[in-house]
Amino acid sequence: MKLRSEKLKYLFLKLNIALLLLAITSCTSEEENLPDTNTSLKFQIELTSSNINRQSSADLPDCSENAPAYAEVVLTGAENVGSVSNPQRINFASDSETENLNLAPGNYQLVHFSVYDENDTQIWIAPTDSEFSEFVSNPLPNSVNVTSYEQSSLSVQVVCYDNRTLIDPNAITAAEYVSELGVGFDVTWSEFNKYMELYSSQVPQDFADAGFTNVRIRMNEENPDAQFITDLRNQISHSIDNGIYPIIAYQGHYLEETATSDEDAREHLVNWWGNMANELKDFGPELGFNVLVEISGRYKEDYTAMNSFYEDVYDTIRSTNPTRNIIFPPVSISNPEYLQFLEIPGGDDPYVMAEWHLYAAGPKKSQSKKYWVDGSTAEERENVTGPIETAVQWMNETGHVSWVGAWMAGNYNKENEYSVEEQVDFASFMTRTLEKYNIPHSVNAGNKYYDYETNTWLNRTTDVAGIPVRDAILDPDQAAIYAGADYTGDSARLAVGTYNSSDLSSMGMNNITSVMVPFDYEVTVYDGDNLTGNSQVLDITTRDLGSYNVRSMEVVYLNSY
């Protein structure tokens, strides 16, 4: 029988009905039939009274009086016994004692313990340290040393379980999480030393003030120390305080470059996430865990191995973060075409989802799957829409939701052959297509839009995106006007429509020198009020109108394609 992971995660926020605590004592003993290299573990139930008061409510049920039939357990340590998705079942030998469980001697941690009656109804469960520890004095995980020669014991406290109380008002399901993520940035605050040192709490505040609502915090560090964790916690806290959803993502280069075997890779990834999840378990549901930034190197095409790794990563995170949203990428550098091979663990767990990306290193002007010049050909546009529609089809077939963890408006890593104006076209088409399917996304990367040294937004240079591309991403269906050349000074957004001089003046825009024009839009500027006088038609973002005195404007969506 598979563990009911959804129930495990929801368990205790409304468990005011707990009437009793049950002390489960485990004892080890040397068995005559077993060789010296083996021993056994059994669980004994001792019922004790609890000082937890039941909330007065007529519709809350009493704890079950049914006898326990079996327990489902998960142990990690000298050998792993069971998993969250497939726990070890141990039958009860009597109403108060289980049968023996044969184990190799060594140190173990009990990370899950639940008890069922003969009708497969869950009646008791042990809370974890991540939530509701006020109900017990010693929540899971619990440690025990099992030896062949000495008897040892472990007390595990459980609380009464009722599936009518499975509502956690603070948890956010993956579907709800996706609906809140919106648009954000991949950020290097915990990835490269330069940006670790430049980071300040002003950055997420400025991101939020501009309208961004998520950050994907990428990390390279294979063995995070206390200072790294402290800095990361600050970044997460600052983001949440400003209404931004932080998602931490591990680069995992160890898997690609260092691991000597599958088991070595698995152990590293599981331990890394086990430690990180434990360090961050106290954060609210805004924080998400993106297991890997992307998969390349030796595991680039090995979805069988990665799916197996994911099962164990899921189990270790769930032991401390029952309702944390965990995000899994497909292989082949998070290629949406490989979503079909992705096996997201957890069964019906509502707190799991996928990440994928496209154009993570930007478009190319040479013929390829990332070919894009100006979007005027069907091939260019289908290079963008095709992968997105592939992901949408996968979501519809599986019921999972997803998020785009990275895309780039220019190919900055290869000296960038796209002007700011060309990036606006690509960015507005990309964002418009993602929004059509309600897919949230993070743009690669924040340092191409924001100057961390001065804590200001970049307007335009040869190797970055800057303010006009930022504005095209934030709203691909509105033009933007700027008081100064090169997209500087005061600014305002203009939806489709006409604007006379009083309209522009009410926005504080008495001077207009540069204009951001989204893909397939057209902006006509007039030097007279009410669309009179001389005019200029702008079908591309324009950095400097020179001495042209704009007195009125019209914004049109061409809808050419």
Side-chain angles (χ1 to χ4, degrees):
M1 173 178 295
K2 288 189 176 181
L3 180 149
R4 299 163 194 183
S5 58
E6 180 176 351
K7 294 183 177 180
L8 171 64
K9 295 189 293 290
Y10 281 98
L11 188 58
F12 296 101
L13 277 182
K14 289 193 174 180
L15 201 52
N16 318 69
I17 66 165
L19 299 177
L20 300 171
L21 287 180
L22 306 170
I24 312 292
T25 303
S26 66
C27 301
T28 62
S29 61
E30 186 175 3
E31 301 289 332
E32 293 182 0
N33 308 356
L34 296 174
D36 289 344
T37 56
N38 277 339
T39 187
S40 62
L41 177 70
K42 63 181 177 182
F43 298 90
Q44 295 177 331
I45 297 177
E46 179 183 346
L47 186 62
T48 63
S49 60
S50 167
N51 59 3
I52 299 175
N53 293 323
R54 177 181 175 184
Q55 182 179 3
S56 176
S57 178
D59 64 347
L60 291 175
D62 291 333
C63 292
S64 173
E65 296 181 358
N66 293 347
Y70 63 91
E72 288 186 347
V73 303
V74 178
L75 291 158
T76 61
E79 60 177 325
N80 291 332
V81 178
S83 66
V84 173
S85 58
N86 188 25
Q88 176 70 43
R89 173 172 170 158
I90 310 173
N91 291 329
F92 276 79
S94 68
D95 285 351
S96 61
E97 186 173 278
T98 67
E99 297 175 350
N100 289 326
L101 174 64
N102 291 335
L103 295 172
N107 292 317
Y108 290 85
Q109 278 202 323
L110 179 66
V111 298
H112 174 74
F113 189 96
S114 59
V115 179
Y116 295 81
D117 64 19
E118 62 181 357
N119 299 315
D120 297 329
T121 300
Q122 192 169 5
I123 56 176
W124 307 319
I125 192 166
T128 64
D129 187 43
S130 58
E131 296 185 42
F132 320 111
S133 57
E134 69 270 20
F135 289 108
V136 295
S137 60
N138 191 26
L140 299 186
N142 293 167
S143 299
V144 60
N145 181 29
V146 178
T147 71
S148 297
Y149 305 104
E150 297 180 5
Q151 188 178 54
S152 59
S153 63
L154 171 69
S155 277
V156 180
Q157 295 175 320
V158 301
V159 294
C160 301
Y161 181 97
D162 173 64
N163 63 10
R164 297 200 307 179
T165 64
L166 303 181
I167 300 174
D168 180 346
N170 294 320
I172 301 176
T173 66
E176 294 167 332
Y177 197 68
V178 162
S179 71
E180 298 290 336
L181 279 180
V183 183
F185 284 120
D186 273 53
V187 293
T188 53
W189 306 339
S190 286
E191 186 176 19
F192 301 123
N193 288 336
K194 172 183 177 180
Y195 296 103
M196 291 178 188
E197 294 169 1
L198 288 174
Y199 172 82
S200 75
S201 60
Q202 185 64 40
V203 178
Q205 181 178 331
D206 288 346
F207 282 14
D209 289 345
F212 292 97
T213 51
N214 77 67
V215 288
R216 188 192 197 203
I217 304 173
R218 301 189 309 228
M219 294 172 287
N220 271 329
E221 183 57 53
E222 294 176 357
N223 297 292
D225 60 17
Q227 186 60 54
F228 183 95
I229 295 296
T230 297
D231 293 343
L232 176 62
R233 290 182 63 87
N234 286 335
Q235 295 163 14
I236 293 169
S237 295
H238 297 156
S239 298
I240 294 174
D241 289 346
N242 284 284
I244 289 177
Y245 285 75
I247 299 172
I248 62 169
Y250 181 41
Q251 286 283 14
H253 293 315
Y254 186 93
L255 278 70
E256 303 168 6
E257 303 167 357
T258 309
T260 58
S261 66
D262 285 354
E263 286 312 305
D264 184 23
R266 181 196 306 273
E267 181 179 6
H268 173 81
L269 190 62
V270 170
N271 288 342
W272 193 95
W273 272 110
N275 294 333
M276 186 62 67
N278 188 58
E279 293 283 356
L280 305 179
K281 64 188 177 186
D282 57 317
F283 279 102
E286 298 89 351
L287 173 63
F289 291 168
N290 185 185
V291 175
L292 288 167
V293 171
E294 60 187 21
I295 302 164
S296 59
R298 64 181 293 182
Y299 291 104
K300 181 177 180 180
E301 306 291 333
D302 194 348
Y303 55 83
T304 301
M306 292 309 306
N307 287 334
S308 176
F309 297 169
Y310 287 165
E311 286 280 353
D312 291 345
V313 170
Y314 171 87
D315 288 346
T316 195
I317 292 174
R318 278 290 172 259
S319 70
T320 57
N321 290 255
T323 57
R324 181 75 58 206
N325 277 293
I326 310 176
I327 307 167
F328 299 91
V331 297
S332 194
I333 318 181
S334 298
N335 188 334
E337 294 180 4
Y338 284 77
L339 284 167
Q340 62 182 309
F341 304 114
L342 174 63
E343 296 178 2
I344 294 182
D348 58 358
D349 184 340
Y351 305 100
V352 290
M353 56 183 280
E355 181 278 330
W356 52 278
H357 48 249
L358 72 170
Y359 291 89
K364 297 179 179 179
K365 289 189 176 181
S366 57
Q367 286 292 330
S368 70
K369 289 185 177 181
K370 297 180 180 179
Y371 173 65
W372 174 282
V373 177
D374 57 11
S376 61
T377 67
E379 178 187 2
E380 295 168 77
R381 299 189 299 276
E382 288 169 3
N383 283 345
V384 174
T385 59
I388 295 173
E389 289 169 354
T390 295
V392 170
Q393 181 180 353
W394 175 83
M395 289 189 287
N396 290 337
E397 291 174 351
T398 63
H400 287 298
V401 294
S402 70
W403 149 75
V404 171
W407 67 270
M408 190 178 279
N411 51 0
Y412 317 119
N413 299 338
K414 298 185 177 180
E415 299 183 355
N416 191 33
E417 55 188 331
Y418 292 88
S419 67
V420 166
E421 293 73 26
E422 289 172 320
Q423 291 178 61
V424 165
D425 276 351
F426 181 77
S428 52
F429 183 76
M430 172 68 79
T431 304
R432 194 177 302 152
T433 306
L434 291 170
E435 289 184 354
K436 174 183 176 180
Y437 294 106
N438 298 313
I439 299 174
H441 50 105
S442 301
V443 181
N444 194 14
N447 62 329
K448 299 301 180 183
Y449 298 80
Y450 187 86
D451 187 339
Y452 290 99
E453 294 183 356
T454 61
N455 291 125
T456 57
W457 293 99
L458 297 162
N459 59 319
R460 67 170 282 127
T461 65
T462 57
D463 65 341
V464 302
I467 288 174
V469 188
R470 178 202 71 178
D471 291 346
I473 292 166
L474 285 168
D475 191 336
D477 293 314
Q478 290 197 77
I481 51 177
Y482 309 88
D486 289 328
Y487 320 105
T488 58
D490 293 336
S491 64
R493 304 305 301 266
L494 302 180
V496 169
T498 60
Y499 301 85
N500 58 32
S501 59
S502 62
D503 296 328
L504 298 174
S505 180
S506 68
M507 300 176 193
M509 299 302 296
N510 294 310
N511 295 304
I512 299 170
T513 310
S514 48
V515 183
M516 185 276 285
V517 183
F519 177 78
D520 204 25
Y521 272 66
E522 188 175 87
V523 175
T524 304
V525 295
Y526 297 84
D527 63 5
D529 197 5
N530 297 315
L531 310 185
T532 61
N534 297 317
S535 64
Q536 285 190 41
V537 178
L538 310 177
D539 59 4
I540 191 169
T541 296
T542 302
R543 58 177 291 271
D544 191 354
L545 291 170
S547 59
Y548 196 90
N549 184 22
V550 178
R551 301 291 295 156
S552 58
M553 306 178 67
E554 181 177 21
V555 179
V556 176
Y557 175 41
L558 300 177
N559 198 18
S560 306
Y561 309 107

